[in-house]
């Protein structure tokens, strides 16, 4: 019960490790970037889920004195983090394009082979 | 001045970040450089003024929009951040002022505005980390500086920079994300992001397990960004293939700023809250520091490309800083923080000189540098002075921090003897790798082919020598960095009995 | 002018001279050498002007800056340093004269660099001589190592660079690896590194740690060339002869034994060390070096290498004399620095003159050379006799004092060492003298030649005369050095 009750942590952990696996194990630079995005997205989920308060509503003040609000701050934070994540992905993709232009490949082992020559 | 003076902590970031987009629009040749240099000089002046304020009246606080902390965003400059601000803005200014010719040679004219914009963003990001008093702002600034650094490193003519920067991007993002996870865990338990507030509220947390996990995530993530052995693998290639001036700038400060955040968290936030944290910190990081020192120096001894050689030497020097920190004593931290400053002086000068060599020599492999001393005696002289500082010859800045480090290690008593040996052995290794360069440069037969007729601009030589003389000045009169690092160490360790 | 500013002047004069020499070198060789001689003369006058005050018992001093708490750059002139500085600055004049003859006679390249670095080395030597504490001593000790490197590697060919690497490697390794930890150790237990009469370490450390610290100092000061850290000295012989003569017979090597003596007298304290059995090994190490280096010298064919091994042995005389730890022996150590300096510089001058005139470098080539170069070989003979310790040469005086000190301590091991090594010295020097004067030149005769250029001959004649003069006129020196051990007499 306790373990399943915190299911969003499981989602976080599984996404995180999936992303990390892709980053480490894949040789294709593009797949690495997908992994990296997944890795970051997992953290976004961690932040967003923790801001949820049981029975809480959106934090819009309606006049009711006993209203329970979810914490808005993590959502704001994660909005910034998402922007950062997108920039990183965009820059990463830009670099992959440049690598393709220069080396004619986006496979890590092939690039290393070319550089060694 | 007093009106503007109280906004200095904010201006430290605002100036470069505002000039950056303007620079992109500056098309005429040289204007982008001039504007960025002016912004960087201004940032340097602000950093000096802030340092004076910190020396005079203690830490300088600043509330963004006058919202009180912890609700508003607080900026805070204390001795540690002031020292690092000097390093960051100083390195950027020196590299920009002296480096125009080198940058012109390596960056195509139509891409220069973008390059300089990225430079200023990196500067703004690094300064932002140092003035921020808030864990999430640190994250954002860290990413700004990292993204800009990736652009700087990839901006040169060498295509091998691209795979290196990709590696750096992957590892840097993983490091930053680890940091974010750690901050998230702390936020979950405390509900605050302000460092000072966080430190107080952790006292009230009942179950410290998430905080311990957060400490782990944050330390590992930052160690990745700070290139602490064995997480340094991204560093050598990134520094080697980056444009020379970008290397001079980033090598002097970027890893150190991550180290700064690491020290802040581990000593400021966690030290007073986690029982036995100092012991864990020492047990995990001291062996890594020692290995980093030895392995970095050893690889540098056999490296053939001079930039890679110096990059591996940086890995070893980061080890010194960590070694000082992992002693968890006032003397140790003082030595480690002092070494941040002194190493920046030495390594910055070395890379400036290397940038000059690159303009005249056929390449940067050792055999391509043969006889360079005869063709560029002045630049080479500065290189030797900085090299001596790196080794730690008395009379140079490097000696002062090594002296302090050894003194700090000796406080351990007999247990410190092996560490003294490590420091001395790696100093001797530094003699070897610096002297390999000196010998090749002085005595090997000059290869006439491949040498270009370009003369290095006098400005470059003057700047390089100013940096070299700073190594001697701070070797003979180290009061300024010493006071700052002593204060910083005392402040970081206020929780220890 | 007070003592403090004179000290500063003595440090700055050679540095200023170096700049002036560099500038003059662009104009003409004559001007450059005039500037060199003028700088040397000015330095000698400056240094010697301190002498009356020091003789009268004053200790002029000056503190430049406090680098770290308790660690400052400070200078203070005491009798040992005064003697060393006076010796080095005085001989620099003669050596410059000799250099002019040698470098021109040899058509060496990069002569300006040579004179510039020479002046810089002298500045470092003055810093070593006047250092008021361990840290300042270390600072200038390293500066001396680094500034002599370009002189040793002057020729620049592969073999020279290899030897210069050995030179720099050994000196830097020992100084950073052993000397520096010893200094830091001293500062951390005594809280200071100032040179104080009677020492600063008494009651601060005891037992085997004393012997260990002494070992770190003695082997860390590689310039003293106590075996096994002597290999740099033969390696340094690839340098032009004037460098070997002034630096590797006087300034650099004497900086080493000077530092060892100074540390024994002013850091440990003679009485403290004498009472501490764990320091006894130093005497035996020095004695071993004396005998072993003499035996190796016996087997050398190259004249300069032979002189280098002879220097190693003679340096250990000083170390051994200091290690006898009795007042007369300490005086003997100081005097031996002077006596050996006069004798050995004469020998190197002669070796260099022979090379310039005849291109001969090996001992067996010297048959009959006395008839071709009578002045040079007369000087060589005087120098060699001084090494052996035959009156009327300076070498006799210092051996006398060292022996007297050894008897004072009832140390018959030291006495025996001196006797055996005197025999060995005779065994390798006398055959050369015999060959030079009494054997015939091989037939057919090598290229006809006479003496070396006159400045070189003049220089070696002067130093030979000094060697003899020191036998007769040594009263002032001894009186000066008595002050070192005044508290013990």
């Amino acid at each position: 019960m306790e373990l399943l009750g915190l299911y969003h942590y499981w989602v976080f952990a599984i996404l995180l490790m999936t992303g990390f696996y892709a980053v480490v194990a894949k040789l294709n630079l593009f797949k690495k970037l997908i992994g990296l995005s997944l890795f970051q997205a997992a953290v976004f989920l961690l932040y967003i889920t923790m801001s949820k308060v049981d029975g809480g509503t959106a934090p819009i003040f309606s006049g009711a004195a006993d209203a329970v609000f979810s914490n808005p701050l993590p959502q704001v934070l994660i909005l910034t983090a998402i922007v950062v994540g997108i920039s990183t992905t965009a820059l990463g993709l830009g670099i992959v394009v440049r690598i393709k232009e220069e080396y004619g490949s986006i496979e890590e082992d092939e690039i290393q082979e070319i550089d060694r020559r | 001045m007093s009106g503007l003076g109280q906004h200095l902590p904010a201006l430290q970031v605002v100036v470069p970040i505002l000039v950056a987009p303007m620079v992109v629009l500056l098309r005429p040749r040289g204007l982008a450089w001039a504007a960025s240099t002016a912004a960087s000089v201004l940032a340097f002046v602000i950093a000096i003024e802030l340092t004076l304020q910190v020396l005079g009246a203690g830490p300088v606080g600043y509330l963004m929009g006058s919202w009180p902390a912890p609700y508003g965003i607080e900026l805070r400059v204390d001795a540690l951040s002031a020292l690092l601000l000097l390093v960051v803005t100083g390195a950027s200014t020196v590299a920009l002022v002296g480096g125009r010719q080198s940058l012109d040679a390596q960056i195509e004219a139509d891409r220069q505005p973008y390059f300089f914009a990225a430079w200023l963003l990196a500067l703004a990001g690094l300064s932002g980390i140092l003035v921020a008093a808030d864990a999430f702002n640190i994250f954002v600034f860290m990413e700004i500086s990292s993204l800009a650094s990736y652009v700087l490193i990839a901006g040169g003519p060498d295509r091998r920079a691209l795979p290196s920067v990709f590696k750096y991007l992957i590892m840097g993002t993983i490091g930053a994300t680890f940091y974010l996870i750690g901050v998230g865990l702390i936020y979950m338990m405390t509900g605050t992001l302000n460092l000072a507030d966080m430190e107080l509220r952790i006292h009230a947390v009942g179950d410290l397990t998430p905080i311990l996990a957060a400490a782990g995530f944050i330390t590992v993530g930052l160690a990745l960004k700070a290139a602490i052995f064995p997480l340094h693998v991204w560093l050598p290639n990134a520094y080697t293939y980056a444009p020379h001036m970008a290397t001079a700038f980033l090598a002097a400060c970027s890893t150190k700023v991550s180290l700064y955040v690491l020290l802040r968290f581990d000593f400021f936030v966690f030290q007073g809250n986690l029982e036995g944290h100092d012991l864990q910190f020492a047990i995990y990081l001291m062996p890594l520091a020692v290995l980093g020192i030895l392995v970095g120096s050893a690889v540098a001894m056999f490296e053939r490309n001079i930039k890679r050689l110096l990059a591996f030497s940086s890995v070893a020097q980061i080890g010194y800083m960590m070694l000082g920190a992992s002693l968890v004593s006032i003397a140790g931290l003082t030595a480690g923080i002092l070494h941040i400053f002194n190493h920046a002086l030495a390594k910055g000068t070395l890379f400036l000189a290397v940038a000059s060599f690159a303009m005249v020599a056929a390449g940067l492999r050792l055999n391509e540098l043969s006889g360079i001393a005869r063709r560029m005696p002045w630049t080479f002289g500065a290189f030797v002075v900085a090299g001596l500082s790196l080794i730690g010859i008395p009379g140079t800045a490097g000696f002062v921090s090594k002296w302090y480090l050894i003194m700090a290690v000796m406080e351990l008593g007999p247990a410190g003897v092996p560490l003294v040996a490590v420091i001395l052995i790696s100093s001797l290794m530094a003699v070897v790798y610096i002297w390999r360069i000196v010998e090749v440069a002085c005595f090997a037969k000059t290869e006439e082919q491949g040498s270009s007729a370009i003369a290095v601009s006098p400005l470059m030589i003057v700047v390089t020598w100013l940096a070299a003389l700073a190594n001697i000045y701070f070797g003979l009169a180290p009061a300024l960095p010493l006071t700052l690092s002593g204060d910083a160490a005392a402040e970081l360790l206020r929780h220890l009995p | 002018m007070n003592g403090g500013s004179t000290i500063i002047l003595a440090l700055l004069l050679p540095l200023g001279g170096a700049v002036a020499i560099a500038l003059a070198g662009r104009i003409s060789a004559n001007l450059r050498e005039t500037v060199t001689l003028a700088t040397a003369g000015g330095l000698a006058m400056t240094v010697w002007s301190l002498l009356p005050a020091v003789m009268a018992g004053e200790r002029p001093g000056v503190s430049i800056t406090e680098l770290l708490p308790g660690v400052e750059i400070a200078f203070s002139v005491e009798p040992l340093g005064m003697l060393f500085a006076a010796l080095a600055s005085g001989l620099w004049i003669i050596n410059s004269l000799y250099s002019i003859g040698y470098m021109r006679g040899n058509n060496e390249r990069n002569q300006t660099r040579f004179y510039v670095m020479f002046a810089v080395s002298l500045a470092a030597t003055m810093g070593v001589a006047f250092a008021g504490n361990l840290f300042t001593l270390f600072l200038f000790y390293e500066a001396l190592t680094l500034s002599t490197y370009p002189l040793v590697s002057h020729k620049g060919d592969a073999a020279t660079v290899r030897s210069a690497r050995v030179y720099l490697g050994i000196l830097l390794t020992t100084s950073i690896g052993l000397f520096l930890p010893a200094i830091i150790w001293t500062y951390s237990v005594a809280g200071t590194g100032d040179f104080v009469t009677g020492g600063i370490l008494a009651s601060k450390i005891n037992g085997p740690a004393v012997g260990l610290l002494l070992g770190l100092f003695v082997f860390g000061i590689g310039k003293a060339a106590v075996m096994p850290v002597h290999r740099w000295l033969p390696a340094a012989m690839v340098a032009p002869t004037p460098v070997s003569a002034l630096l590797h017979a006087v300034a650099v090597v004497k900086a080493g034994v000077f530092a060892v003596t100074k540390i024994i007298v002013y850091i440990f304290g003679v009485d403290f060390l004498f009472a501490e059995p764990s320091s006894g090994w130093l005497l035996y190490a020095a004695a071993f070096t004396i005998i072993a280096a003499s035996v190796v010298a016996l087997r050398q064919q190259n004249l300069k290498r032979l002189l280098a091994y002879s220097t190693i042995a003679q340096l250990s005389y000083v170390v051994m004399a200091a290690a006898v730890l009795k007042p007369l022996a300490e005086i003997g150590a100081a005097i031996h620095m002077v006596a050996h300096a006069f004798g050995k510089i004469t020998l190197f001058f002669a070796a260099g003159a022979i090379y310039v005139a005849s291109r001969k470098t090996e001992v067996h080539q010297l048959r009959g050379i006395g008839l071709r170069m009578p002045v040079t070989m007369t000087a060589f003979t005087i120098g060699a006799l001084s090494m052996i310790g035959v009156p009327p040469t300076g070498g006799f005086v210092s051996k006398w004092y060292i022996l007297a000190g050894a008897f004072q301590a009832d140390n018959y091991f030291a006495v025996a060492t001196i006797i055996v090594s005197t025999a060995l010295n005779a065994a390798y020097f006398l055959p050369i003298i015999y060959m030079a004067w009494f054997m015939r030149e091989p037939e057919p005769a090598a290229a006809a030649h006479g003496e070396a250029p006159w400045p070189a001959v003049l220089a070696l004649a002067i130093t030979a005369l000094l060697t003899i003069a020191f036998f007769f006129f040594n009263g002032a020196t001894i009186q000066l050095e008595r002050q070192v051990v005044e508290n013990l007499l």
Side-chain angles (χ1 to χ4, degrees):
Chain A
M1 171 61 209
E2 184 62 7
L3 279 178
L4 282 176
L6 297 171
Y7 69 94
H8 57 272
Y9 288 133
W10 286 106
V11 175
F12 157 70
I14 290 166
L15 271 182
L16 193 78
M17 288 340 279
T18 313
F20 195 63
Y21 172 79
V23 170
V24 174
K26 295 291 168 192
L27 289 176
N28 185 309
L29 300 183
F30 195 73
K31 289 180 181 167
K32 268 182 192 288
L33 273 181
I34 295 176
L36 196 67
S37 292
L38 214 54
F39 185 72
Q40 290 179 301
V43 183
F44 304 158
L45 273 182
L46 171 74
Y47 269 75
I48 293 171
T49 52
M50 77 177 155
S51 71
K52 173 70 178 160
V53 176
D54 271 346
T57 63
I60 303 167
F61 192 63
S62 59
D66 59 343
V68 178
F69 297 138
S70 285
N71 187 350
L73 190 63
Q75 310 222 359
V76 179
L77 294 180
I78 232 52
L79 215 52
T80 319
I82 288 172
V83 173
V84 168
I86 287 177
S87 320
T88 310
T89 312
L91 184 62
L93 288 174
I95 293 170
V96 173
V97 171
R98 289 278 296 122
I99 290 177
K100 172 77 179 169
E101 282 172 12
E102 293 285 346
Y103 289 85
S105 164
I106 56 167
E107 297 291 328
E108 198 177 27
D109 49 348
E110 289 174 19
I111 294 167
Q112 276 173 357
E113 192 56 37
I114 293 170
D115 263 345
R116 199 166 297 135
R117 257 183 266 143
Chain B
M1 189 63 211
S2 72
L4 208 55
Q6 59 190 352
H7 296 294
L8 286 181
L11 287 175
Q12 184 76 72
V13 184
V14 169
V15 168
I17 221 167
L18 274 188
V19 179
M22 289 188 231
V23 162
V24 178
L25 303 174
L26 293 172
R27 286 292 138 189
R29 236 177 118 70
L31 217 53
W33 172 79
S36 330
T37 308
S40 178
V41 170
L42 190 56
F44 189 39
V45 172
I46 294 173
I48 292 173
E49 177 61 28
L50 275 173
T51 308
L52 293 178
Q53 285 183 16
V54 169
L55 282 175
V60 179
Y62 182 82
L63 302 174
M64 289 302 271
S66 300
W67 290 93
Y71 307 106
I73 291 170
E74 188 192 7
L75 303 183
R76 195 161 184 281
V77 180
D78 60 7
L80 184 56
S81 20
L83 187 78
L84 268 293
L85 278 177
L86 284 181
V87 170
V88 169
T89 54
S92 156
T93 306
V94 165
L96 279 175
V97 171
R100 180 163 178 211
Q101 193 188 8
S102 170
L103 287 166
D104 276 345
Q106 287 200 294
I107 318 284
E108 299 141 43
D110 57 332
R111 288 201 296 122
Q112 276 192 15
Y114 303 114
F115 185 83
F116 285 119
W119 185 295
L120 287 179
L121 285 176
L123 176 63
L126 292 169
S127 315
I129 298 173
L130 298 170
V131 297
D134 171 302
F136 200 80
N137 279 331
I138 289 179
F139 168 75
V140 174
F141 281 125
M142 202 149 70
E143 285 308 89
I144 292 179
S145 70
S146 301
L147 289 169
S149 312
Y150 306 147
V151 174
L152 289 184
I153 292 171
D158 194 328
R159 72 170 185 181
R160 284 170 298 182
L162 294 167
S164 337
V165 93
F166 189 82
K167 197 180 198 177
Y168 183 16
L169 180 136
I170 297 279
M171 296 192 75
T173 308
I174 290 175
T177 310
F178 267 38
Y179 172 82
L180 196 61
I181 296 172
V183 170
L185 289 174
I186 300 178
Y187 180 74
M188 233 172 353
M189 303 307 289
T190 64
T192 184
L193 289 168
N194 184 296
L195 291 183
D197 197 34
M198 197 182 266
E199 200 260 313
L200 292 175
R201 289 207 198 181
I202 298 179
H203 291 320
V205 172
D207 183 6
L208 284 173
T209 318
I211 305 291
L212 191 64
F217 272 115
I218 290 178
T219 307
V220 172
L222 291 171
L224 237 175
K225 299 214 101 170
I228 290 169
F229 184 88
L231 302 175
H232 65 281
V233 286
W234 58 267
L235 183 139
N237 275 340
Y239 281 7
T240 307
Y241 302 123
H244 308 308
M245 277 304 151
T247 309
F249 173 36
L250 296 175
C253 57
S254 74
T255 56
K256 281 148 206 152
V257 171
S258 304
L259 200 60
Y260 156 91
V261 184
L262 183 79
L263 294 180
R264 268 247 184 279
F265 265 92
D266 274 309
F267 287 103
F268 189 80
V269 177
F270 298 133
Q271 181 64 54
N273 292 309
L274 295 174
E275 202 181 332
H277 179 259
D278 48 344
L279 210 62
Q280 289 173 350
F281 186 80
I283 287 176
Y284 287 117
L285 286 179
M286 193 182 285
L288 294 183
V290 167
L291 278 174
I293 292 173
L294 293 178
V295 174
S297 303
V299 176
M301 288 199 319
F302 297 100
E303 194 46 66
R304 276 155 198 251
N305 180 309
I306 183 170
K307 277 177 90 180
R308 272 179 82 87
L309 185 156
L310 293 176
F312 273 106
S313 146
S314 282
V315 173
Q317 305 287 328
I318 293 165
Y320 283 126
M321 300 162 205
M322 282 316 298
L323 179 62
S326 66
L327 295 172
V328 199
S329 64
I330 296 271
L333 265 176
T334 308
I337 295 168
L338 186 63
H339 199 62
I340 292 181
F341 183 85
N342 289 342
H343 173 245
L345 282 178
K347 205 40 83 54
T349 314
L350 286 172
F351 275 119
L352 280 180
V354 167
S356 299
F357 294 160
M359 269 184 282
V360 175
L364 286 175
R365 300 186 140 265
L366 275 183
N367 53 1
E368 291 164 322
L369 286 172
S370 56
I372 199 82
R374 249 168 279 154
R375 287 155 73 193
M376 319 177 66
W378 285 100
T379 307
F380 187 74
F383 183 90
V384 171
V385 170
L388 295 178
S389 181
L390 196 68
I391 296 169
I393 297 288
T396 58
F399 175 75
V400 180
S401 37
K402 284 217 174 127
W403 174 283
Y404 260 83
L405 195 56
I406 292 179
M407 280 294 202
V409 167
M410 303 248 304
E411 282 183 0
L412 297 180
V417 173
L419 293 177
V420 174
V422 165
I423 297 170
L424 294 172
I425 288 171
S426 84
S427 299
L428 293 173
M429 289 167 153
V431 174
V432 174
Y433 60 70
I434 291 295
W435 224 259
R436 276 176 71 211
I437 305 174
V438 171
E439 272 188 7
V440 167
C442 291
F443 300 114
K445 288 273 173 291
T446 319
E447 290 172 52
E448 287 307 328
Q449 76 275 21
S451 62
S452 54
I454 301 173
V456 177
S457 73
L459 187 64
M460 178 78 188
I461 294 175
V462 169
V463 168
T464 312
W465 260 101
L466 280 179
L469 289 177
N471 276 293
I472 293 178
Y473 176 79
F474 287 111
L476 295 175
L480 171 78
L482 201 53
T483 315
L484 286 172
S485 40
D487 289 355
E491 202 168 331
L492 288 174
L493 283 182
R494 68 208 159 95
H495 291 301
L496 279 193
Chain C
M1 195 146 96
N2 66 21
S5 42
T6 314
I7 297 173
I8 308 264
L9 183 66
L11 290 169
L12 293 183
L13 199 69
L15 286 182
V19 176
I21 292 166
L23 295 176
R26 302 198 168 179
I27 301 167
S28 85
N30 286 334
L31 183 62
R32 176 185 69 206
E33 279 141 26
T34 314
V35 175
T36 304
L37 281 171
T39 312
L43 177 67
M45 265 159 48
T46 313
V47 172
W48 286 68
S49 76
L50 284 165
L51 198 52
V54 178
M55 290 284 278
E58 283 176 43
R59 297 287 177 269
V62 58
S63 173
I64 308 291
T65 163
E66 184 164 43
L67 199 61
L68 317 164
V71 181
E72 55 178 0
I73 298 180
F75 300 98
S76 148
V77 187
E78 45 68 59
L80 274 175
M82 185 67 241
L83 185 68
F84 178 42
L87 184 68
S89 62
L91 287 179
W92 187 26
I93 306 178
I94 305 171
N95 193 70
S96 303
L97 198 64
Y98 181 81
S99 298
I100 295 167
Y102 182 88
M103 299 302 276
R104 288 194 176 182
N106 252 346
N107 289 322
E108 295 269 352
R109 292 183 306 142
N110 297 326
Q111 292 197 22
T112 303
R113 184 179 79 196
F114 172 85
Y115 288 108
V116 169
M117 290 321 293
F118 221 113
V120 175
S121 316
L122 258 293
T125 309
M126 292 303 122
V128 171
F130 292 147
N133 55 41
L134 275 177
F135 174 75
T136 315
L137 179 70
F138 185 63
L139 179 70
F140 286 97
Y141 180 94
E142 295 292 49
L144 185 57
T145 306
L146 293 170
S147 60
T148 47
Y149 175 79
L151 293 170
V152 173
S153 60
H154 185 83
K155 241 183 184 167
D157 56 29
T160 308
V161 173
R162 230 182 354 263
S163 289
R165 195 186 298 155
V166 172
Y167 176 78
L168 193 76
I170 292 183
L171 288 182
L172 275 186
T173 308
T174 53
S175 66
I176 294 179
L178 305 172
F179 193 15
L180 182 60
I183 291 175
I184 296 178
W185 189 355
T186 307
Y187 271 93
S188 66
V189 298
T192 172
D194 289 352
F195 294 123
V196 176
T197 309
I200 55 173
L201 283 175
S203 81
K204 298 282 173 33
I205 62 173
N206 49 48
V210 180
L212 182 61
L213 180 59
L214 185 67
L216 288 179
F217 272 124
V218 170
F219 294 113
I221 301 174
K223 291 192 170 90
V226 176
M227 283 183 178
V229 288
H230 65 285
R231 291 244 351 247
W232 63 271
L233 189 54
M237 290 303 134
V238 295
T241 306
V243 176
S244 308
L246 184 60
L247 295 175
H248 299 124
V250 182
V252 172
V253 291
K254 291 300 174 341
V257 290
F258 164 75
V260 170
T261 313
K262 206 160 166 171
I263 285 165
I264 287 178
V265 175
Y266 294 117
I267 296 293
F268 285 99
V270 174
D271 281 344
F272 171 57
L273 268 192
F274 193 73
E276 179 56 64
S278 69
S279 67
W281 63 267
L282 179 59
L283 186 88
Y284 301 101
F288 173 79
T289 307
I290 295 176
I291 303 296
S294 301
V295 171
V296 177
L298 267 179
R299 305 170 45 83
Q300 294 303 314
Q301 275 304 308
N302 181 297
L303 186 56
K304 276 180 81 179
R305 284 183 75 84
L306 182 145
L307 293 178
Y309 277 102
S310 157
T311 304
I312 294 172
Q314 299 283 332
L315 290 173
S316 276
Y317 268 83
V318 179
V319 175
M320 188 176 81
V324 166
L325 300 170
K326 279 291 165 191
L328 283 180
E330 302 300 330
I331 296 177
I335 299 178
H336 195 67
M337 281 190 225
V338 182
H340 172 249
F342 288 151
K344 194 48 69 62
I345 201 171
T346 310
L347 287 171
F348 272 112
F349 279 172
I354 293 169
Y355 175 68
V356 172
S358 69
R359 302 278 141 189
K360 287 175 179 167
T361 56
E362 306 300 306
V363 170
H364 66 86
Q365 297 170 325
L366 298 183
R367 271 176 286 178
I369 202 161
L371 300 176
R372 289 195 181 272
M373 307 177 71
V375 183
T376 305
M377 285 320 291
T378 308
F380 187 92
T381 308
I382 294 171
L385 291 179
S386 179
M387 289 302 118
I388 302 167
V390 182
T393 57
F396 174 76
V397 185
S398 53
K399 268 196 185 162
W400 178 271
Y401 270 90
I402 298 174
L403 277 173
F407 279 116
Q408 210 178 11
D410 288 328
N411 194 331
Y412 298 104
F413 181 77
V415 175
T417 307
I418 293 173
I419 293 171
V420 172
S421 85
T422 302
L424 286 168
N425 288 347
Y428 59 82
F429 273 124
L430 291 181
I432 302 176
I433 296 172
Y434 177 80
M435 272 201 293
W437 290 111
F438 303 113
M439 285 175 80
R440 279 170 184 280
E441 239 181 305
E443 302 282 344
H449 63 85
E451 292 280 2
W454 69 266
V457 178
L458 178 62
L460 64 88
I462 295 173
T463 55
L465 287 176
L466 283 173
T467 309
I468 293 177
F470 193 68
F471 177 77
F472 296 102
F473 309 105
N474 50 34
T477 317
I478 291 169
Q479 201 191 337
L480 179 67
E481 296 314 310
R482 274 195 116 76
Q483 295 181 14
V484 177
V485 288
E486 224 157 25
N487 61 329
L488 304 171
L489 287 170

